[in-house]
Amino acid sequence: MSDFTELRLDGVGRRFAGKDALADLDLTIAAGEFIALLGPSGCGKSTALNCLAGLLPLTAGSIWQRSQDGERRIDTLPPEKRGFGMVFQSYALFPHMSVRRNVAFGLQMRRLSRAEVKRRTDEAIRLVQLEEHADKLPGQLSGGQQQRVAIARAVVLEPSLVLMDEPLSNLDAKLRLEMRTEIRRLHQSLGLTTVYVTHDQEEALSLADRLVVLRAGRVQQVGTPEELHSRPANWHVADFMGFRNILELEATQVSGTEVVVQGEGLRLVGTSTGGVATGDRVMAAVRPEDLVVATGDNATGATVDVVEYQGRELAVEARTSSGRALHVRTDQRLAPGDEVTLTVRPERLLVYPVAPGEHAPAPLAEAVAG
Ligand code: ATP
């Protein structure tokens, strides 16, 4: 469906009142790719998407579209000349028009024949499985169904690129999961190229071929779900990707990639991600599921503090003797007050360098109290 082979963002930036909302974004999107823009609130995700869409002029850089005929610059084109489809958090459907008319509207504006409009509208409605609801008004549909209409309306125009800004954030948990699968299915079956904005790392990991993690307007890492999950590029990305234990410690011994980290009553062996020297202050990051309740090497003692039931597993907060809170996931039936030994495999404790002035994120309870 794409009429391009590649879309290239070259040093794209956007400033508001002298402050960078987005800076130096270099990214090449291949036709057929599913890209997720991921990051915490205010990191510049929507700004990036709106720059791509043409809703926001760039203040730096350029955007290029490559096709068989060569490369052309598109950031100077108005949104309607770019041929992109858009799906937003708010569905923005016409409330007085039926589902069918909402979906057909864009095709009618293009002055296609009546038969062609009908054929493509029926096809789009079938793809999002709304055949039974085609004659209803948006107000008679659930949130998930309305979002399906919004998606059908975007894909019916066979856009070269579909831009989605948190399209599932208004839906309840079950529907979010269903629509997630739906979006991935549509992306594949229609051969779409999709750029999808979300702050939900799980959603991004499950949907995208590649993720772009932003923080404070700057790209932190671009990679496959696997790369982001196992090897975050810095401790901020690790923190965002579910390494809930970020410990500010000292590297007391470095040999190759093996690092001994110490502080807060802990002494553990971890794996350097590069740029760590003996005597450095570092961040040691470990996922709750990689802190294992078992006796063994590379361990610390802790007392169970809070236990949350989460189906087959428990989410446990334990405290070391120095008062450091650690997040643990375990299938062992622990209770508050239990004394446990927590071990970690050195390759699962990632040790990151720290920039001057940076400090570990405060645990939520302390942040609130403080
Ligand atoms: P969220 O997930 O909360 O929507 P986001 O990652 O999409 O966040 P953006 O909306 O891109 O973030 O905003 C990035 C930064 O730019 C923020 O600091 C925001 O306050 C600022 N910003 C965005 N739009 C404007 C504007 N029109 N005027 C001034 N500042 C803006």
Side-chain angles (χ1 to χ4, degrees), residues 57-75:
L58 311 186
T59 49
S62 51
I63 305 176
W64 302 80
Q65 186 166 317
R66 179 183 287 281
S67 64
Q68 260 81 26
D69 313 327
E71 210 174 36
R72 69 176 183 137
R73 187 167 174 175
I74 63 156
D75 59 278

Side-chain angles (χ1 to χ4, degrees), residues 235-236 239-240 243-248 283 324 358-364 366-367:
W235 71 268
H236 296 286
D239 184 26
F240 192 68
F243 287 70
R244 286 194 68 203
N245 302 292
I246 306 275
L247 312 168
E248 193 173 338
M283 295 295 178
R324 169 78 216 189
E358 283 187 336
H359 290 286
L364 198 56
E366 288 166 31

Side-chain angles (χ1 to χ4, degrees), residues 114-307:
R114 195 180 276 197
E116 179 72 358
V117 170
K118 178 162 183 347
R119 189 186 63 75
R120 284 172 61 174
T121 303
D122 285 349
E123 169 71 4
I125 290 175
R126 189 184 59 75
L127 275 169
V128 296
Q129 296 168 358
L130 281 178
E131 295 101 318
E132 283 172 41
H133 305 283
D135 297 317
K136 290 186 181 166
L137 294 175
Q140 296 171 299
L141 301 177
S142 72
Q145 289 164 339
Q146 291 186 49
Q147 194 55 288
R148 280 168 204 239
V149 180
I151 292 170
R153 193 181 48 177
V155 300
V156 78
L157 299 172
E158 302 187 350
S160 54
L161 182 71
V162 180
L163 305 171
M164 300 197 183
D165 195 350
E166 307 246 8
L168 307 184
S169 57
N170 286 336
L171 308 180
D172 66 39
K174 181 166 177 286
L175 209 50
R176 278 181 84 111
L177 285 182
E178 283 174 21
M179 285 298 293
R180 202 198 268 182
T181 314
E182 182 97 0
I183 285 174
R184 184 69 216 186
R185 183 177 64 78
L186 279 172
H187 169 85
Q188 273 164 223
S189 59
L190 295 177
L192 299 174
T193 308
T194 307
V195 178
Y196 187 101
V197 161
T198 179
H199 65 271
D200 181 336
Q201 45 113 346
E202 204 188 295
E203 197 168 283
L205 287 172
S206 69
L207 276 171
D209 299 316
R210 281 194 303 152
L211 287 72
V212 179
V213 182
L214 290 165
R215 177 177 163 265
R218 292 187 178 268
V219 171
Q220 305 292 299
Q221 188 168 5
V222 179
T224 63
E226 173 69 35
E227 285 163 354
L228 266 291
H229 190 266
S230 58
R231 266 306 168 123
N234 60 47
W235 71 268
H236 296 286
V237 179
D239 184 26
F240 192 68
M241 296 307 296
F243 287 70
R244 286 194 68 203
N245 302 292
I246 306 275
L247 312 168
E248 193 173 338
L249 302 170
E250 186 189 333
T252 54
Q253 211 179 306
V254 181
S255 66
T257 58
E258 194 177 282
V259 194
V260 179
V261 288
Q262 276 181 268
E264 302 197 45
L266 300 168
R267 183 186 185 280
L268 296 167
V269 181
T271 302
S272 169
T273 57
V276 171
T278 305
D280 282 356
R281 201 163 58 87
V282 293
M283 295 295 178
V286 60
R287 293 178 175 279
E289 57 271 34
D290 290 328
L291 276 180
V292 180
V293 182
T295 48
D297 291 342
N298 219 23
T300 176
T303 309
V304 173
D305 205 359
V306 184
V307 175

